[in-house]
Structure formats: C-alpha cells, structure tokens
Amino acid sequence: MLECNGKLLDLSLSTPPKVMGILNITPDSFSDGGLFLSADKALQQAQQMIQDGAAIIDVGGESTRPGAAAVTAQEELDRVIPVIESIYRECGAIISIDTSKPEVMREAVKAGAGMINDVRALREPGAIAAANETGVPVCLMHMQGEPRTMQKNPEYTDVVQVVKSFLQKRIICCEAAGIDAVLVDPGFGFGKTVDHNLQLVKNLREFTMLGKPVLMGVSRKSSIAVLLNRFTNDARLAGSVAMATLCCQYGASIIRAHDVAATVDAVKIYHAVAHAGT
Ligand code: 9MG
C-alpha cells in the first residue's frame, strides 16, 4: 500500500494493475494539445477519467514529447496549480504531478498532489530535497538526453541493463536521502528506438527485480504508430492497449494512459486471466 498525501494506493498483486490517466495542461501536448487549457475543462476531463476507472490523474504543465521546448517554473505553476486544486476539491482520485522542478513539486503537493512523476528521476538540482520534504511517493523514470534532442539516434550497449543500472543508482540516491516510497519506469520512448522500447517491454521482469512497483507509459507513443504504420491518435488506440496489456503480463503495476476506459478494460481482462483457477 502506498501512502499518497492521505490517500492509499493499493498495488498488491491480488488487485488489477492501476491506470494513471494523463492530463496534459500544455498548449503543445502531442495528443491533446490546447484542449484542456482551462481549469474547468481539465476538471471535466479528470472527472471523466475517474469515472472510466483511473486510480491516479497525472497532471503535467510541461510537454515531454520529442522536440518539446522547456518552460519556466512560473509558467508550469500557473498551468498546474489551479487544476490540481480543483481536482483535489472535487474528486477523490490520487493526483500525481508530472514535473522535474523542485518548486513545482512543493507547490503541487501543497495543492493536493499525492505523487511525483519525474521523467528526470530527481536529477535536477534541489529535486531530491524537495521530493523528500513533500513525503509523497516518487516515480523515477529513465530518459537518455533531453526531450528536445533525445530521439536523435539513441544508442545503448545493452538497453535493458543500462536502464536497469540507472534506475538502481537513482533508488540508492533516493534511499540515502530518506525517500523510500519509490516507483520505477524504464521510460518507453524517451531516447529509445522502436527496438529499444520493445526490448524494455519484453524484459520488464528485470525491472520488477529492483523491488519497486513498475510504471509504464506506452500510450499513443510513436513506436506504436511506427509498428502499425498508422499515425493518427485514434489509429494508435488498439496498439496502445495491446502494449499496455503486455506490460501488465510482464509485471507493470501502473499503466499511464490517455484512453482510460479501454485501458481499464484491458487491465481487468489481464487480471482475470492471470488469476484464473487460483
Ligand atoms: C510524463 N510522461 C510522458 N511519458 C511518460 C512515461 O512513459 N512514463 C512516465 N512516468 N511519465 C511520462
């Protein structure tokens, strides 16, 4: 059981993996850009995702899609804080804050967030201290490079072992600072080729061996589109759900997804099969 700012997240194997709904509050988000910019629209979208079965709502104010430019802490705060406040006020779900900035971590948790989702795995100056102060669980994700350039010819000697060893070192840094509630994420699509991403999914059990819950985000990512040779968001739905189901089969505890209803159905079917006859 993870304690998330007063709310409990049950990740035990006797329950289905949990779905984290994506709420991007950015004008340039790759799949829902500009749609949820007002706090009201964002709240409606969060409510819909919760009704569809999301256990966590991941609120982000800076795009991490390949090629995305950085934003200032103030811009990020202006985007996410009113949204977190209204979701916290109106809904029961756990809110996670998708950020790498210490000041955003602090303010987001004060506004009601119960988890930090950091694609830079607390490597920004001051991030470990800020996360520690908040006391909420942290998802540490692997990314090679930075979003603006990460897809320019990514290379690894052995992607699974390199990513695993990175996450192991970040867990050690967190534990040394007093942060024990940690999740890990190999970072599908973050400085990886299609083949790297496939290897990570196929070898996800390596990451469960780190002894922390594994989170995976595959939803609508370009590897899915490339594998299917279909590039619209709608055309990525079935591939994203299939990939999410495989992630569950290989040990993921949380799936980060845009299409919550379809992903929740898939996760329930996975869980029923996994526990048949037990
Ligand atoms: C913010 N964000 C975008 N993609 C992601 C992924 O795959 N994992 C996590 N943890 N965060 C992500």
Side-chain angles (χ1 to χ4, degrees):
M1 207 65 93
L2 276 182
E3 211 273 320
C4 304
N5 204 1
K7 294 183 174 133
L8 292 179
L9 181 63
D10 184 2
L11 296 179
S12 56
L13 288 180
S14 57
T15 66
K18 300 299 173 289
V19 174
M20 169 188 264
I22 300 171
L23 191 58
N24 287 324
I25 319 295
T26 58
D28 61 343
S29 160
F30 71 102
S31 58
D32 53 10
L35 274 184
F36 303 116
L37 271 175
S38 82
D40 272 1
K41 281 192 178 151
L43 175 62
Q44 278 170 28
Q45 172 69 0
Q47 284 168 327
Q48 183 64 54
M49 290 195 287
I50 292 163
Q51 199 177 314
D52 290 342
I56 309 162
I57 303 295
D58 192 36
V59 178
E62 177 175 43
S63 176
T64 51
R65 70 179 167 75
V71 299
T72 65
Q74 194 55 54
E75 266 175 289
E76 216 178 305
L77 286 167
D78 291 345
R79 290 175 185 176
V80 299
I81 298 303
V83 173
I84 292 171
E85 284 172 344
S86 75
I87 299 174
Y88 184 73
R89 215 175 28 244
E90 306 290 333
C91 314
I94 294 164
I95 302 163
S96 94
I97 175 67
D98 156 18
T99 191
S100 299
K101 296 188 180 76
E103 49 274 68
V104 179
M105 292 172 189
R106 284 196 187 90
E107 294 308 313
V109 174
K110 275 188 214 155
M115 185 184 288
I116 294 167
N117 174 27
D118 185 2
V119 298
R120 295 179 181 79
L122 302 183
R123 282 178 295 152
E124 290 296 295
I128 289 211
N132 195 21
E133 274 168 40
T134 67
V136 301
V138 182
C139 178
L140 304 169
M141 199 198 78
H142 174 271
M143 168 165 64
Q144 187 184 76
E146 276 295 309
R148 215 164 51 75
T149 51
M150 66 189 176
Q151 288 310 108
K152 291 191 176 149
N153 201 24
E155 282 182 24
Y156 296 85
T157 45
D158 175 338
V159 66
V160 174
Q161 290 313 319
V162 169
V163 173
K164 184 178 175 183
S165 142
F166 168 86
L167 291 172
Q168 188 144 37
K169 286 183 191 139
R170 296 311 297 159
I171 291 171
I172 291 168
C173 284
C174 283
E175 288 179 347
I179 306 172
D180 291 317
V182 163
L183 303 95
V184 292
D185 181 338
F188 187 105
F190 283 83
K192 281 118 187 161
T193 62
V194 173
D195 188 59
H196 292 144
N197 290 323
L198 296 177
Q199 287 186 58
L200 291 173
V201 172
K202 189 174 172 185
N203 294 285
L204 210 55
R205 288 276 168 216
E206 288 284 325
F207 298 95
T208 62
M209 285 175 201
L210 292 169
K212 304 291 179 190
V214 172
L215 188 154
M216 278 295 273
V218 299
S219 180
R220 301 185 185 174
K221 294 223 170 138
S222 70
S223 288
I224 307 272
V226 170
L227 287 165
L228 302 175
N229 195 28
R230 290 204 310 268
F231 292 85
T232 63
N233 281 335
D234 286 352
R236 299 178 194 205
L237 172 63
S240 299
V241 171
M243 194 68 89
T245 311
L246 285 165
C247 291
C248 294
Q249 172 72 33
Y250 289 126
S253 297
I254 302 179
I255 301 293
R256 186 178 181 274
H258 296 88
D259 302 292
V260 170
T263 309
V264 168
D265 281 354
V267 158
K268 283 185 185 163
I269 297 297
Y270 152 75
H271 183 74
V273 172
H275 287 78
T278 61

